Amino acid sequence: MLSNIIKMFEEILERDTGTINAQDEFREYEEWDSLAYLSVIAKIDDDYHFVIPRDEFQKIRTIEDLANYLENK
Amino acid sequence: MAIFKYSEIGITGISAAVPKEKNNNLTPNDFFTEKEAKSVVKMTGIKERRVAPSNICASDLCYAAAEQLIMEMAIDKNMIDVLIFISQTPDYRMPATGIILQHRLGLSKSCAAFDINIGCSGYVYGLCLAYSFCKQKTINKVLLLNGETRTKVYSFKDKSTGLLFGDAGAATLIERNKSAGDSFFSMNADGSRYHFIMIPAGGYRYPSSPETVKEKVFEDGSIRTDEQGIMDGSGVFDFTIQDVPQDIIRVLNVSGRSINDIDIFLFHQANKFITDHIAKKMGIPLEKVPYSLDKFGNTSSVSIPLNMVSELSHQLPNEAKTVLMTGFGVGLSWATCLLNLTRPYISKLIEI
């Protein structure tokens, strides 16, 4: 799961492989904006058929948190 | 459950009018940086919008659309027994703008005329009501007018809404029509999320005062007054990708049809990224999903008929099509319908 989430962020933010780490707080990325937010929620909906409610997404801080959250769904 | 079925009632004509003046979202301006404007265009697909000058109201755009439709179809005005004006940008708080339009259009005094205050779901809500009137044998034709001047609602200096909206008006004629077959409608409401899209002040809950017309600066740098519209974009996004697909499925189930039976999907034109996502998620081929929001922006309840006039004016008059329409937004309110368009008359887009 974690590697899938990292790959997803690399694609959405157009970053090189290896520049996204599990402990990163993704909201601090320079490329993080509302389009990135929509893209992440939409991609998760495509891949896992689940829309993360906004108030739950707000509690997720790091890449790893997101992977753990999806694993527990 | 607000599910409706009608038989042998259909749309026989559609027209739309837009203001001449175009605003290109990528034209440099003092408020949005080039990067911000490009990001909005990329995310929404909205490149250009039509902006009405101060002397053109939603009713004027509807009047132009209706006059042209009535003239070109050679409609006897005495046959129009109901006029429905759907808008959240009326001429006055009172009287209802629809009544003024009854007179301007020269319709009979025994024509019912009124307004409905509802936004992006308003085309489907209006059609459902028009179809229901047409079940009465005493009603010959219903004229549905959808008009909005949303550029006057939102602040151009609002980061989340400044580049999204456009102005337009549309006229649709509905009447009994044997070739139309069965039509299905679903209408929904969720007032718990009323604050997602709203104009906070200027009504009777928070009346207009010198305070409500003062510009305020917000955390994200947006500048607006309390009498201008606000929108919680990510809240609306959650709503759209969850509730809208469910409603489409409900209408397909009620009608016993599948995605493959539908020739054209007419989504409210608000955000191409979101509606493309819904289409992909539901297995709707993108070539069945026409867009005109690149040219006109979000025109609220006008976007569906405007899309037909702009993108389908060659196709619809020549070939019968089964279409699914879905409108969603302010309220929150959303509605979906499945109907047959059996070669309606489509006027050429009017610019005033």
Side-chain angles (χ1 to χ4, degrees):
Chain A
M1 176 65 76
L2 182 60
S3 64
N4 290 344
I5 299 297
I6 287 176
K7 194 161 170 274
M8 178 179 85
F9 271 81
E10 285 168 357
E11 278 168 15
I12 288 171
L13 302 180
E14 297 174 1
R15 284 232 188 163
D16 294 335
T17 313
T19 59
I20 303 276
N21 299 300
Q23 299 306 321
D24 291 353
E25 295 202 11
F26 53 81
R27 287 184 191 79
E28 287 173 10
Y29 293 145
E30 199 190 320
E31 303 92 333
W32 183 258
D33 59 8
S34 51
L35 177 59
Y37 167 75
L38 299 195
S39 303
V40 165
I41 300 294
K43 187 78 171 80
I44 290 168
D45 186 25
D46 283 340
D47 294 352
Y48 305 99
H49 309 290
F50 175 70
V51 177
I52 305 180
R54 181 168 54 156
D55 48 343
E56 291 191 22
F57 191 78
Q58 276 162 354
K59 291 182 212 147
I60 297 169
R61 312 303 313 171
T62 66
I63 301 283
E64 193 173 30
D65 290 348
L66 180 57
N68 290 339
Y69 175 88
L70 288 171
E71 244 159 32
N72 293 326
K73 277 288 148 192
Chain B
M1 201 181 256
I3 298 281
F4 304 79
K5 181 186 174 187
Y6 303 103
S7 296
E8 299 185 352
I9 296 166
I11 294 171
T12 51
I14 309 170
S15 62
V18 292
K20 274 196 196 89
E21 195 194 323
K22 297 175 185 176
N23 264 25
N24 187 313
N25 280 344
L26 295 175
T27 303
N29 67 75
D30 294 341
F31 192 71
F32 287 87
T33 65
E34 195 186 332
K35 195 177 159 218
E36 284 172 337
K38 275 188 176 159
S39 168
V40 171
V41 172
K42 189 178 169 202
M43 176 164 62
T44 61
I46 297 166
K47 293 175 189 147
E48 219 168 56
R49 304 169 293 118
R50 297 302 180 101
V51 179
S54 60
N55 64 335
I56 292 186
C57 286
S59 61
D60 300 317
L61 295 163
C62 286
Y63 173 76
E67 273 287 57
Q68 175 138 328
L69 191 66
I70 290 168
M71 186 187 72
E72 290 178 354
M73 291 180 74
I75 300 291
D76 174 358
K77 288 183 176 180
N78 289 319
M79 298 292 273
I80 297 173
D81 296 309
V82 181
L83 181 159
I84 306 170
F85 178 67
I86 300 194
S87 182
Q88 293 181 319
T89 48
D91 289 9
Y92 307 103
R93 287 196 200 156
M94 60 188 265
T97 305
I99 301 170
I100 301 172
L101 283 165
Q102 168 271 329
H103 173 69
R104 275 181 79 184
L105 288 165
L107 306 187
S108 151
K109 283 184 191 163
S110 58
C111 168
F114 55 94
D115 290 7
I116 298 180
N117 174 331
I118 204 157
C120 310
S121 59
Y123 191 62
V124 180
Y125 263 78
L127 282 180
C128 188
L129 201 57
Y131 276 54
S132 118
F133 281 123
C134 287
K135 286 176 103 169
Q136 304 296 320
K137 297 290 179 245
T138 44
I139 302 297
N140 292 298
K141 295 175 197 292
V142 176
L143 182 63
L144 171 64
L145 302 177
N146 292 83
E148 288 293 348
T149 49
R150 289 283 165 136
T151 64
K152 300 181 186 191
V153 169
Y154 293 93
S155 164
F156 281 111
K157 294 180 282 189
D158 187 319
K159 299 281 182 196
S160 53
T161 59
L163 301 178
L164 305 185
F165 292 90
D167 302 332
T172 306
L173 207 59
I174 297 104
E175 57 197 295
R176 282 182 296 283
N177 177 353
K178 286 221 181 328
S179 69
D182 293 339
S183 312
F184 302 86
F185 290 75
S186 166
M187 303 203 283
N188 310 272
D190 181 4
S192 74
R193 293 181 277 183
Y194 77 95
H195 54 288
F196 278 21
I197 308 171
M198 76 181 302
I199 302 171
Y204 297 95
R205 183 69 63 193
Y206 180 18
S208 191
S209 72
E211 187 57 30
T212 61
V213 293
K214 271 191 198 142
E215 282 196 331
K216 296 177 185 171
V217 182
F218 293 83
E219 218 175 278
D220 64 348
S222 293
I223 300 168
R224 63 172 178 268
T225 74
D226 287 345
E227 294 198 29
Q228 289 178 311
I230 52 172
M231 184 168 75
D232 172 349
S234 61
V236 176
F237 170 65
D238 277 11
F239 152 67
T240 312
I241 66 172
Q242 293 196 85
D243 297 280
V244 173
Q246 284 170 12
D247 201 39
I248 294 174
I249 290 167
R250 182 182 303 146
V251 168
L252 289 172
N253 287 344
V254 168
S255 63
R257 313 280 178 86
S258 73
I259 301 262
N260 293 336
D261 298 324
I262 311 296
D263 300 312
I264 303 166
F265 290 81
L266 291 159
F267 286 100
H268 165 49
Q269 302 283 291
N271 182 317
K272 187 168 190 299
F273 176 87
I274 297 177
T275 39
D276 275 354
H277 172 72
I278 294 174
K280 277 187 272 176
K281 171 175 161 169
M282 302 191 73
I284 298 168
L286 289 182
E287 61 271 19
K288 289 186 176 183
V289 185
Y291 281 102
S292 53
L293 90 174
D294 54 326
K295 299 176 210 130
F296 305 113
N298 180 344
T299 57
S300 189
S301 81
V302 196
S303 82
I304 293 175
L306 177 61
N307 203 15
M308 289 191 274
V309 170
S310 169
E311 305 304 308
L312 305 171
S313 63
H314 298 295
Q315 220 182 108
L316 294 179
N318 294 311
E319 233 181 302
K321 298 283 182 192
T322 300
V323 305
L324 187 139
M325 304 178 183
T326 184
F328 43 86
V330 57
L332 298 178
S333 168
W334 63 110
T336 303
C337 66
L338 189 160
L339 46 87
N340 300 304
L341 288 178
T342 51
R343 306 175 64 192
Y345 180 80
I346 311 262
S347 282
K348 202 163 160 274
L349 182 68
I350 304 154
E351 292 186 306
I352 63 171

